[in-house]
Amino acid sequence: MAGVTDRPFRQLCKQLGAGYAVSEMAASDPRLWASEKTARRINHDGEMEPKAVQIAGADPAMLAASAKFNVDRGAQIIDINMGCPVKKVCNSWCGSALLQDEKLVADILDAVVSAVDVPVTLKFRTGWDRLNKNALTIARIAEESGIAMLTLHGRTRADGYSGEAEYETITAVKATVSIPVVANGDITSPEKAQYVLKTTGADAVMVGRAAQGRPWIFREIEHFLRTGEILPAPLISEVRTLMSEHLQAHYAFYGDYMGLRTARKHIGWYVRDLSDGEPFRQRMNRLESCEEQLAAVDAFFESQSERGERLQYRLAEEKLAA
């Protein structure tokens, strides 16, 4: 979720019911801490608690120093990334590439847990590939190292994001360890969240890509788990307000030049399943000022109100026809 879960988006997700939102993956190399990109990724000024920073790297001492650096800057939870499948990350022996070296995993976890006095959590995958699944071993190592919580994505590194997540391994990990386990992978609806919780016995679910353009999914899940009822789609009037607040916070965080450009992907996610969303996205991508972009988004959602007071997502067959 690098490039997605920045502070404005995390704040919005928390406002809409997410109990926990982790920062973008931040490099552990101290030479990068002062860079604009890393500094922005670990910026939690004014963010709702808990403030969780995710770190990535392959050197135990460097990761330990990074954890301490972030705690000194206000991080309340340190999350270690051993789940990212992206090639450039794995080529540096970071992310899910670490799953190939169980001793190194143990060394990293021991070093980071010993370095800070806040909870340390671990995000990982089921293994390197389907012939080399070692999530149970990694989970036991993590528990012995003092890791406070595990988040397990039901795919291997080789799977990337293709196919469907499997939950059998998450079920087995939950049955093996006594620390909390969070199930991750293809949690795309309240019904799917309930199914995964019941199937795996996990303590919670983590939503990733499904929140892109739909940050209200968190309150939808919470409401369904609590009441068994599906919330109606959000009011367009509410979405207009949320979009305005999100975009203005985004511009303030990145500055006008970068904010305009990085907001385009968020706007694209918001409109992708709505009528006339794709033509609007193409027009919006040609706008060259934050004021124009903000006004265009507001006008788009105002036009959606002609179809009713609530968002109306296109049916699957309509998307295929388009």
Side-chain angles (χ1 to χ4, degrees):
M1 300 292 282
V4 180
T5 54
D6 53 30
R7 192 186 71 195
F9 187 67
R10 292 196 305 272
Q11 189 82 326
L12 178 61
C13 291
K14 289 179 179 181
Q15 291 171 357
L16 291 171
Y20 177 69
V22 185
S23 76
E24 301 171 82
M25 184 172 60
S28 60
D29 188 337
R31 294 171 298 181
L32 301 176
W33 293 349
S35 70
E36 184 177 359
K37 176 188 265 188
T38 298
R40 189 179 287 116
R41 287 186 172 185
I42 60 178
N43 184 329
H44 289 260
D45 295 344
E47 185 175 350
M48 295 167 62
E49 297 183 352
K51 300 175 182 178
V53 173
Q54 185 178 90
I55 58 176
D59 180 88
M62 200 175 285
L63 281 159
S66 176
K68 189 174 186 310
F69 172 79
N70 281 287
V71 169
D72 289 344
R73 290 171 55 89
Q76 297 165 310
I77 299 169
I78 294 295
D79 187 56
I80 302 173
N81 185 302
M82 293 188 185
C84 181
V86 175
K87 186 176 293 186
K88 70 176 182 179
V89 174
C90 290
N91 285 346
S92 300
W93 206 251
C94 302
S96 55
L98 290 166
L99 300 177
Q100 297 174 97
D101 189 335
E102 293 169 1
K103 183 182 183 306
L104 180 56
V105 168
D107 290 344
I108 288 172
L109 301 185
D110 288 339
V112 175
V113 170
S114 298
V116 294
D117 57 2
V118 303
V120 179
T121 61
L122 174 66
K123 173 78 188 297
F124 67 123
R125 287 186 170 230
T126 57
W128 176 250
D129 57 34
R130 296 187 184 188
L131 296 177
N132 295 280
K133 288 187 177 183
N134 59 345
L136 287 175
T137 301
I138 298 295
R140 285 191 287 264
I141 291 171
E143 185 172 34
E144 291 169 1
S145 298
I147 290 295
M149 184 178 76
L150 298 171
T151 300
L152 180 54
H153 186 119
R155 288 181 172 89
T156 67
R157 186 273 165 184
D159 291 329
Y161 295 101
S162 64
E164 296 183 358
E166 56 93 358
Y167 305 114
E168 293 85 356
T169 305
I170 301 175
T171 305
V173 166
K174 175 58 186 171
T176 299
V177 299
S178 59
I179 57 178
V181 174
V182 180
N184 176 234
D186 297 351
I187 314 294
T188 55
S189 69
E191 299 95 324
K192 187 65 173 290
Q194 183 184 69
Y195 167 79
V196 172
L197 285 170
K198 288 184 175 179
T199 298
T200 63
D203 300 279
V205 290
M206 179 170 280
V207 176
R209 291 169 292 158
Q212 295 173 350
R214 189 182 167 187
W216 40 84
I217 190 174
F218 299 103
R219 73 179 181 196
E220 293 173 343
I221 290 173
E222 188 278 331
H223 183 82
F224 183 73
L225 294 177
R226 180 167 47 84
T227 69
E229 300 173 352
I230 295 291
L231 278 177
L235 291 166
I236 292 172
S237 58
E238 179 192 17
V239 174
R240 288 179 69 182
T241 300
L242 288 173
M243 284 294 300
S244 177
E245 292 174 349
H246 183 190
L247 289 176
Q248 291 184 66
H250 191 90
Y251 302 148
F253 188 65
Y254 287 98
D256 286 357
Y257 180 82
M258 185 176 293
L260 171 76
R261 287 153 180 80
T262 54
R264 289 169 179 162
K265 61 190 173 191
H266 285 279
I267 296 168
W269 291 324
Y270 278 109
V271 306
R272 63 186 168 191
D273 292 331
L274 301 176
S275 295
D276 300 322
E278 180 55 24
F280 168 74
R281 186 190 67 81
Q282 293 182 20
R283 294 194 304 273
M284 179 271 302
N285 282 347
R286 293 192 289 269
L287 300 178
E288 289 297 332
S289 78
C290 295
E291 292 76 16
E292 288 179 302
Q293 190 180 71
L294 191 61
V297 170
D298 188 67
F300 173 81
F301 281 100
E302 182 179 16
S303 72
Q304 292 291 303
S305 63
E306 298 173 3
R307 298 177 170 83
E309 65 175 6
R310 295 186 180 275
L311 285 187
Q312 295 186 25
Y313 296 105
R314 293 183 298 159
L315 299 175
E317 51 268 28
E318 292 177 353
K319 297 178 195 176
L320 289 173

